Amino acid sequence: MTEAPGVDDETLYDGKVAAEAVDTLHKLKEAGEPFFLAVGFIKPHTPFVAPKKYWDLYQPAEIELAARVTLPDGAPAFAGHGSGEIRRYTDQPNRGEIPESNRRRMKHGYFACISYVDAQIGKLLTALRAEGLEESTIVVLLSDHGYHLGEHGLWGKTTNFELDTRVPLIVRVPDMKSPGEPTRSLAELVDLYPTLSELAGLPIPQHVQGTSLAPIVASPAASPDDIAISQFPRGGNADTGGKTMGYSLRTDRWRFTEWINRESAATVACELYDHADDNAAEVESLAGSTQH
C-alpha cells in the first residue's frame, strides 16, 4: 500500500488533475465569465503512493508513532474498528498487531502524499495569480473526513472520534481583513453552501442546511455555531443488540457521542471527552463519571 516511484508529478493521478485544472483556469480566464471550479485530489487517501522526492522530505527514524494504541478508557469496543481500510492490502496483516516497521512506513507514506498534494494545490494557486484571477476568486480547501494514523490502535476513517470528524478547512477571500488567522469557531461542511452564497453575493436558498461562515471569515473571533454535529453507524453485534447509529456533538470543550439502536431507538452506549484536558487525544470517556 506504499510506493515511492521516481517519477514526475504528472505521472500520477493528482499531478494530472492539477495540470488539467491549470489549463481549465486559463480557459475560464479567456471566457471572462464568473465560474465555479471544483478540483478533487485523491491523496492522501490510500494507497500511499507519491513521487520519491516527497518521500525524501522526511526521515523515517524521526517520524513519531502514536503513543497510545488502545481505545479510550470507558469507550465501547464497537466505537473502534478493525482498520479494514489498510488491512485489505497484501503487505499488511489481516488481523492482529501491525508491526512497527509497517506503521512507520505507512505514516511516512501519508506525510509524503500530503506534501505531494500540497505541491499540486500550489500549482493551482500560482496559476490563479498568473491569470490575474487571484483578487476576484474565493478559494476553499477542504477534506471529506479526518484520519487515524495509529491513534487508538486505528488506521483509517469511519469513527466518531475527534480525529475522524475534524477536517481541514481553509477559506480565502480577496481583501480579507485577517488573512491567515485561525479560528476556534466550530463549523460543519454543510455550512459551505450558504457561506459561498453569501460571499459571492448570491441569495441563500431556504432549503439549504448549515450556517454561513462569512462572519467568521470577516472576524475569526466570531462564533455563529455553538455546536457541530456528525454521525457514523455501526453494524449489529452482541454488544449493540442490532445496527446502531453514533451521533456525535462537539462544543468548544466537549465531545459527546450517543449510540442508538436503529430499530428500538434505545441508547446503547455514550461517550464524553473533555477537550480542555486532552485536546484530540481522547484517552478517557467521562460518560460514566460523576466528577463533571
Side-chain angles (χ1 to χ4, degrees), residues 28-44:
L28 290 169
K29 172 60 184 298
E30 289 186 330
E33 298 179 354
F35 65 89
F36 176 90
L37 177 63
V39 182
F41 295 109
I42 291 180
K43 300 306 172 192

Side-chain angles (χ1 to χ4, degrees), residues 128 132-137 172-175:
L128 196 70
L133 297 169
E134 184 179 35
E135 297 308 319
S136 60
T137 304
R172 184 267 184 190
V173 178
D175 300 322

Side-chain angles (χ1 to χ4, degrees), residues 64-143:
E64 294 186 9
L65 300 179
R68 181 187 174 98
V69 294
T70 57
L71 290 179
D73 296 339
F78 58 80
H81 55 61
S83 301
E85 182 178 350
I86 64 112
R87 293 186 188 275
R88 61 184 174 174
Y89 293 97
T90 57
D91 59 346
Q92 302 299 328
N94 292 331
R95 60 180 62 85
E97 182 180 355
I98 298 173
E100 179 180 333
S101 58
N102 291 41
R103 286 180 275 142
R104 191 173 301 279
R105 174 72 176 180
M106 285 191 289
K107 202 163 185 178
H108 189 177
Y110 187 86
F111 289 171
C113 287
I114 289 178
S115 292
Y116 172 49
V117 79
D118 183 62
Q120 309 319 303
I121 294 168
K123 293 175 184 178
L124 266 65
L125 297 180
T126 298
L128 196 70
R129 184 180 302 115
E131 296 292 347
L133 297 169
E134 184 179 35
E135 297 308 319
S136 60
T137 304
I138 300 166
V139 178
V140 178
L141 173 67
L142 75 153
S143 176

Side-chain angles (χ1 to χ4, degrees), residues 189-198 203-205 207-209 212:
L189 293 183
V190 292
D191 296 334
L192 285 176
Y193 194 118
T195 299
L196 290 176
S197 296
E198 181 172 352
I204 302 175
H207 68 274
V208 172
Q209 298 183 18
S212 173

